[in-house]
Amino acid sequence: MKIALLGAVGVGKGTQAQRMVETLSNYTRISTGELVRNQIEAATDIGTEIKRYHDRGEPVPDEIILSLTIPHLQPAGFYILDGFPRTLVQAQALDSALDERGGGLDHVIVLESADNEGLIERVLGGRRQSLATGRVYHLNNDAPPSPEMSMDPGPFERRSDDNEESLRRQISAYSQEADPLKKHYEEQGILTVVNADAPIDEITASIFEALGTPR
Ligand code: AMP
């Protein structure tokens, strides 16, 4: 299956996408945020161009996101798109790219929260990312493992775009695009909206139920 996992910053997309690839064998997680950060870290020409968008919490232009993402869409692949598409233009380009490869998305899961302030507090209150693996943790409910216990050696750091101003921009950008995106996938009959204010395990269970593969 080809699955897209969408939602505002802080709803837990990364955490749920990780759980999905850990449970569903053969699935790859394609995170556009990671693709963007890889370019920035490698200081490529594109990386230099998009750093200012990323660090300010602004969306990276559609054509750049598409050029980074489309090459990863293997025709026979099983994948979870994390944070992509984020605009209607991206969704339409994704539809065409997948049509050319013989099949569209099977499921679009939108994680939805009624509490934008809560999302900002959640991220600022302890989101950490492993520099070694890219995995996302949270100090309160999914703490980074101690070095001797785990395959993930860290270090675990706050992301450069985890500041209040950037988070507010990300939420505002998401709010503008969310309804047209949801409508697009609702019309295709592949949309499921999941309550992201529920406990983490409940969210995971709702996602697997929507996929037709209850755990
Ligand atoms: P994320 O890791 O999903 O929180 O994304 C981090 C940042 O990368 C966003 O704030 C944007 O600057 C950029 N980004 C990631 N995915 C997209 C996308 N699909 N469209 C536009 N910008 C994106």
Side-chain angles (χ1 to χ4, degrees):
M1 286 195 294
K2 299 174 178 63
I3 304 162
L5 191 57
L6 311 179
V9 62
V11 289
K13 289 189 301 292
T15 302
Q16 296 299 335
Q18 281 158 200
R19 288 182 168 207
M20 290 161 77
V21 289
E22 282 159 12
T23 304
L24 302 165
S25 48
N26 298 328
Y27 273 75
T28 314
R29 169 183 173 220
I30 302 174
S31 154
T32 39
E34 287 301 321
L35 295 175
V36 162
R37 282 185 287 280
N38 290 346
Q39 292 291 325
I40 294 172
E41 271 157 37
T44 60
D45 288 348
I46 290 184
T48 309
E49 189 182 342
I50 59 185
K51 186 176 183 340
R52 64 195 166 100
Y53 295 103
H54 174 272
D55 288 357
R56 287 171 53 82
E58 289 174 2
V60 170
D62 290 330
E63 60 276 17
I64 298 179
I65 289 293
L66 291 166
S67 73
L68 293 177
T69 313
I70 301 291
H72 290 272
L73 307 177
Q74 301 301 327
F78 296 92
Y79 40 81
I80 296 154
L81 299 173
D82 170 358
F84 173 82
R86 275 226 217 337
T87 64
L88 198 53
V89 170
Q90 292 177 17
Q92 287 161 344
L94 175 63
D95 285 351
S96 316
L98 291 179
D99 277 352
E100 283 168 17
R101 290 162 174 75
L105 288 176
D106 298 283
H107 289 281
V108 174
I109 310 281
V110 175
L111 300 182
E112 202 155 85
S113 168
D115 181 9
N116 285 344
E117 291 303 313
L119 295 179
I120 292 173
E121 278 168 30
R122 192 193 282 181
V123 174
L124 293 179
R127 177 159 82 169
R128 295 290 181 273
Q129 188 160 31
S130 166
L131 289 192
T133 64
R135 197 183 195 289
V136 179
Y137 298 89
H138 195 287
L139 298 181
N140 295 344
N141 48 34
D142 184 17
S146 58
E148 66 278 9
M149 292 291 291
S150 159
M151 302 294 287
D152 190 340
F156 307 101
E157 296 198 343
R158 195 187 271 270
R159 270 170 40 179
S160 63
D161 56 337
D162 280 0
N163 60 75
E164 186 173 341
E165 213 179 319
S166 151
L167 293 169
R168 288 197 186 282
R169 282 202 194 96
Q170 290 179 63
I171 285 185
S172 149
Y174 178 78
S175 309
Q176 285 174 30
E177 299 288 346
D179 283 345
L181 265 183
K182 281 196 294 186
K183 184 164 177 282
H184 180 76
Y185 290 119
E186 198 164 23
E187 284 168 3
Q188 294 186 8
I190 56 173
L191 176 76
T192 305
V193 178
V194 170
N195 173 18
D197 298 325
I200 294 185
D201 288 345
E202 236 173 78
I203 299 174
T204 309
S206 301
I207 292 173
F208 279 94
E209 198 179 317
L211 300 178
T213 53
R215 306 169 84 193

